[in-house]
Amino acid sequence: MIYTVTFNPAIDYVVRLDTPLQAGTVNRAAGEDCVLGGKGINVSGILAQLDCPSVALGFVAGETGAWLERGLAAQGLQTDFIHLASGMTRINVKIKAGQETELNGAGPAIPPQAMEALQQKLDALRPGDILVLAGSIPSSLPVDTYERVLERLQGHSVRAVVDASGRLLANVLPYEPFLIKPNHHELAEIVGRALHGDEEITAAARELQEQGARNVLVSMAGDGALLLDETGAVHRIGTPKGTVINSVGAGDSMLAGFLAGYLQSGSYQDALRLGTACGSATAFSLGLASRKEIDLLLEQL
């Protein structure tokens, strides 16, 4: 089973304007949508499209949390959230008016007893299960939360997947995660130098592998992706043709597609191919990609 963790899920209120956003005056929307999300939830959403079951874990609070939970259930996602006694699940405002402007909520504080309740759920994971830790750590939790989670799971034979940036990612390498997914900019930040071309990116990925990561998946936006797998083999793929209209959730979609592809085929090359199709399909869509959109792009790769 795949378990995803979203520490600070959100309801994204997406507003579309036909004209540029004008500060200090009334702006009237041409359209609006509510999207239920957070990086781990996005991963679970694409996994559901691929008929790959998962359980979305994390924290919800207040009426917005109840709304989010009901909405995910309506989408067919299995959830097992910790319900916080105070606060409210955040609402993020995304204004699309030529340029995109975002106003992200802070979200509820997560007390130590709630984090312990989540950790107890993780203690029940079985050997071979996959745990996806994605995104930043809320300010109410210690900055070493990912490390604490993985340290407590040592010896459980759980395959950890981490999609984070900077020290948050670098610090989990000693726990030998099954997969990490930096983009090429995040990879350059971690190794402390600019990276130009596949050879330098591969060398940097190998440094992270030597520090503990089993597989390193490097996304490179329009240039495709590069995978350094646990055997030392390098896999490279481009992107299908299409117009990018949405960057939100594309990386999460790639991660979900990679995991589903690997579990279904046992092949890292096939996993990379499905992951690329999923990431691109979301980038070419207004929201998370559908199975039909994914399958159409898969034919191009």
Side-chain angles (χ1 to χ4, degrees), residues 247-263:
S247 61
V248 177
D252 308 324
S253 299
M254 168 177 268
L255 181 57
F258 182 92
L259 292 175
Y262 178 73
L263 290 178

Side-chain angles (χ1 to χ4, degrees), residues 153-168:
L153 287 174
Q154 282 192 307
H156 290 219
S157 298
V158 171
R159 291 176 286 184
V161 175
V162 182
D163 181 4
S165 59
R167 300 312 307 170
L168 194 58

Side-chain angles (χ1 to χ4, degrees), residues 240 272-282 289 293-295 297-298 301:
L272 180 60
R273 184 167 168 264
L274 183 55
T276 300
C278 291
S280 297
T282 289
E293 291 166 329
I294 293 166
D295 287 344
L297 293 187
L298 195 58
L301 294 169

Side-chain angles (χ1 to χ4, degrees), residues 3-4 10 27 53 91 97-98 107 109 129 147 156 191 203 205 246 255 260 283 294 296 298-299:
Y3 296 84
T4 66
N27 295 264
I91 297 175
D129 284 342
E147 298 159 67
H156 290 219
V191 299
N246 168 47
L255 181 57
I294 293 166
L296 286 173
L298 195 58
E299 295 175 0

Side-chain angles (χ1 to χ4, degrees), residues 175-197:
Y175 300 98
E176 300 181 349
F178 171 72
L179 175 71
I180 60 172
K181 196 201 74 62
N183 63 39
H184 57 301
H185 299 301
E186 293 165 343
L187 180 62
E189 177 188 0
I190 291 172
V191 299
R193 63 180 183 275
L195 302 174
H196 305 286

Side-chain angles (χ1 to χ4, degrees), residues 46-52 240-241 253 257 260-261 264 270 273-282 284-285 288-301:
I46 292 295
L47 288 171
Q49 290 292 322
L50 300 172
D51 298 320
C52 187
K241 295 180 180 179
S253 299
Q264 292 164 3
D270 289 347
R273 184 167 168 264
L274 183 55
T276 300
C278 291
S280 297
T282 289
F284 301 160
S285 307
L288 292 181
S290 68
R291 179 62 180 266
K292 181 179 179 181
E293 291 166 329
I294 293 166
D295 287 344
L296 286 173
L297 293 187
L298 195 58
E299 295 175 0
Q300 297 183 30
L301 294 169

